[in-house]
Amino acid sequence: ENRSAVHQPRLSTPYLNLGFGGDRTYHLLWRLRNGEMPPTLRARAVVVLIGTNDIHEASAEQVAGGVVAVLREVRARLPDARLVCMGLLPRGHAHKVRVVNTVLRAAAEQGWHRGVAW
């Protein structure tokens, strides 16, 4: 049997990917507010990784604010879903990335919004 070195298991649970290369927080907010997330969607969990493309043109506080705005929008649309907020991955602007991740982690640890995990 010839198996690939990289094995990608099939997901047994349906999922919806709203991510696009080059996306910024305001792009995702617009799509969420304008019908990208079907009103009939019943998700148990939502993983949010957004903000890395904002880091070049916005302050750390603006980026963190954009991520929080996305989380609040998702929470408003899916009040029973568990939200998982991923920190920004390193990709330049290391100090800003650290500040954004520190703000988001602190917000999650303070329990600023029910059901958000860091």
Side-chain angles (χ1 to χ4, degrees):
E1 176 179 291
N2 186 6
R3 294 185 58 111
S4 169
V6 178
H7 176 68
Q8 296 181 347
R10 290 191 173 154
L11 295 176
S12 61
T13 304
Y15 65 93
L16 175 65
N17 181 359
L18 297 179
F20 293 93
D23 237 0
R24 295 195 176 154
T25 53
Y26 60 87
H27 296 133
L28 180 55
L29 277 171
W30 188 92
R31 289 198 320 275
L32 290 172
R33 292 173 178 161
N34 289 279
E36 187 78 13
M37 184 181 290
T40 57
L41 182 66
R42 300 290 176 254
R44 289 183 293 187
V46 177
V47 178
V48 175
L49 173 56
I50 190 76
T52 188
N53 293 321
D54 297 83
I55 206 78
H56 299 292
E57 297 178 6
S59 71
E61 292 77 17
Q62 290 169 323
V63 175
V67 174
V68 168
V70 167
L71 290 168
R72 286 185 173 147
E73 191 69 31
V74 172
R75 170 57 67 228
R77 296 176 185 289
L78 298 169
D80 297 323
R82 178 170 174 80
L83 300 184
V84 178
C85 178
M86 303 296 292
L88 299 188
L89 302 173
R91 63 168 290 184
H93 300 278
H95 176 71
K96 281 207 271 189
V97 168
R98 277 193 301 275
V99 170
V100 170
N101 286 341
T102 299
V103 168
L104 295 174
R105 182 180 306 117
E109 288 172 355
Q110 292 172 3
W112 67 269
H113 220 304
R114 177 187 63 82
V116 178
W118 171 253

